[in-house]
Amino acid sequence: MTSEEKTGKAVTRVEEVSIEKEMKTSYIDYAMSVIIGRAIPDVRDGLKPVHRRSLFAMWEMGNTSDKPTKKSARVVGDVMGKYHPHGDASIYDTIVKMAQPFSYRHMLVEGQGNFGSVDGDSAAASRYTEVRLTPYAEALLEDIDKETVGFVPNYDESLKEPVVLPARIPNLLVNGSDGIAVGLATKMPPHNLGEVCSAVVRFLDDPGVPVEELLRVMPGPDFPTGGMLMGMEGARNMYATGQGRMVVRGMAGIEEAGGGNKNDRIIVTELPYQVNKAQWISTVADMVKDKRIEGITDIRDESDKDGIRVVFELRKGAMPPVVLNNLYKNTALESGFSAINYAIVDNQPRILTLHELLGHFIQHRVSVIRARSEFELRKARERVHILDGLLIALAAIDQVIATIRASETVDDAKNALMARFGLDEAQAGAILQMQLRRLAALERQKISDEKGGLEAEIGRLSLILSSEANIRAEVRRETLEVAEKFGDKRRTRIEQDAIDLSNEDLIEDKTVLVSITTANYIKRTDLDTYRKQRRGGHGITGMITKEDDVVDSVFIANIKDYLLCFTNTGRVYWLKVYQIPESSRVAKGKPIVNLLNLKDEVVTTVIPVSGFLDGQFLLFATRLGQVIKIPLSQFSSPRSMGIHAIRLRGTDQLVDVILTDGTKELILTSRYGQSLRFHEETVRTVGRNASGVRGMKLRGGDTVVAVTLLEKDRLLTISDVGFGKRTDFDEFRGHGRGTMGVRNMTLEREAVVIASCAVSDTDEIVVMTAEGVVIRTPVNEIRVIGRGTKGVKIIRLDENDRVVGIAVVRADIENGKPGPTEDLPVDGAQQNPPPATPPEQKGRSPE
């Protein structure tokens, strides 16, 4: 015996426990408590404990759809006092959400009063609102008093609460669920009840039915707020694996102005599920203010009790489809719904596929119908047994009455009846409680009829219980009844072939000016930046270049065109015009190497194309006079690393590329002013990476600078010292391919031809110099004169500056109307260029 035991003192034993093990065990216990008891719904009835307890308490207190509503505060108090002692706020929030038509596809609670709005407004306090169960919720609770589900003690073991509701409706699929637990979360979308019931019936017929077959009857989620489901891939993944991401768009329409001073409008009538309308409108307003979304002048919320209506007034000239696509791309008008089907199965959280969700619901209903049928069968047999006793008594009523009158006590009477007529205690008790009015002949007939009806019911129930197939047939019948009673039309439309918005969908069609420097800086600028000038002016600054860098080329393109960027090594890279950063008029742009994966090469030629059509060709001209014709379709597969376009020989370089249909004549122009006209049919079509054939014979260090087709009205030729002219095509007689051609332009000492192209009389040209100066002038201000002449001054150059390129602005770009001509000041000074030389002086040089 120890000293402590001898003295009678208490003995304290300390047990060492690993803190890591204790924390792990305690945390897991806590996590499972949250998962099972709060956040994740049961797969059978689709409810969390707080929802189930709220509905059951309302059912118990008679707060059903056929009774007047009761104060929400009373309901909350009943739920908290009896089943859910976790605070009135969480209970009331749950009841409020079950009464919101924009939160639940089928509401479980009918509310009277202010229950919040889609704008995020809170519900009124519970003392101001009233509630009752909806018929839909009653279908979840029906048969709960027939021993169909298990009950467990409540928190203080004074009452019993159901473990799960009988749930005649597959509520988890119909209303969905979302909740965040410890270490996992669930988010299941709602569905159309009729479609879900059809899927249940289809699964009952064939449990192995493929997902694609189920998608025919239940094509996808059906949100209470409507909207449009963009594509089926996300829903298909969710049904097959339990997880999937879906994209939902709000419904919007474009209302055209229809004349007058009104502008076009965009009207939004439905929002994606769980989008806060007021917050969304505020976000759009901020984006309009910050110019992240352009074209919107006013936003009005005209929503009322009949539905959502948000009106966006558009600026005159704005393109409504582009503005709408920007709303889809940049705001919650298009929202993602990432589904994960976590639910409680046998007290464990599991991710469930559609087959598993349907299978568990059907298994639950089979269990409920079996238990209900056994309960009803037992009650029916007990009642028939009582009725048999009553019929025996009625057949010998005089003897029964005499026996009762002869007895001193009720127990004596009961025993006497049992002994004399062969009754049991239950039957004898029923006879003693029988009222005298039951002695009438009509009452006797009612008892007989009741017995006959009960015997038929016993036969029906026995048949149901005789096989699993009969029970499943009952599940099928009740499911079809539910669909008939509660089913409604689908609200969410499905766009089967939906594709994601591309960047092009967000960009307004317009024409831009693209310029590239010798250091391979590239930029795009709105063409409207450069107003028209008369020829001979100084122009305006179009780019400020860094030291030793000059502008190399300039061209006009649609902002959605592809740019085929050809390098000095004969490779080609793809680039969308909108991918080029938009820059101010004087900015130098961005290094093209940041946009293309170049490999020790520089871009020498760029051609814009709007599409890769069959029957079109690219005709290449190299510095040393080679020409190559390749089908455009061979460049229709963009690759980030580029591909080989042509094979260059020695020091040769690509200088120009044009788009052709293969049936026209063309003109090659050289640096020293020679031009050669021949038919492109003499250039055979080859594949990529070919070296081509000789197009023009050169001498004295001359090189090819341009190739153009004989189309439009005349040939425009410009030298690097700012002189240019238009010449009729007839001035250039055809020569054979590989010859030197004829003299086109007479050049001053050290001047060279920089560009040559076909133009129409209504076109305009944009001329850019090496120092970044730009002039935009109408073509018809440039004289039409013969070949072998110098031309007229198009731009007045500063010392050491020179022209590096031109771009043609077609007349149809500006609705076929060249804009008014005006002089532009340069650095604050007003220029006074000489007047244009009249066209009738054709053939003579004005200089």
Side-chain angles (χ1 to χ4, degrees), residues 105-148:
R105 185 60 178 81
H106 287 269
M107 295 182 294
L108 302 175
V109 172
E110 180 186 344
Q112 185 172 312
N114 176 16
F115 280 83
S117 72
V118 74
D119 287 326
D121 300 320
S122 300
S126 61
R127 61 183 179 275
Y128 298 121
T129 61
E130 298 180 357
V131 293
R132 64 183 175 186
L133 292 174
T134 62
Y136 178 94
E138 291 170 1
L140 299 179
L141 289 151
E142 189 176 340
D143 300 329
I144 197 170
D145 54 350
K146 295 182 179 179
E147 300 179 1
T148 51

Side-chain angles (χ1 to χ4, degrees), residues 51 206 328 521 546 713:
H51 298 82
D206 179 13
Y328 283 138
Y521 277 81
K546 66 181 183 178
D713 298 329

Side-chain angles (χ1 to χ4, degrees), residues 801-812:
D801 198 6
R802 60 186 177 86
V803 175
V804 294
I806 66 169
V808 178
V809 184
R810 299 191 315 272
D812 57 1

Side-chain angles (χ1 to χ4, degrees), residues 434-450:
M434 187 172 61
Q435 298 173 337
L436 291 176
R437 64 181 178 81
R438 304 296 296 272
L439 301 178
L442 188 58
E443 288 296 324
R444 294 181 186 182
Q445 185 60 44
K446 285 184 179 179
I447 293 173
S448 296
D449 292 344
E450 182 183 356

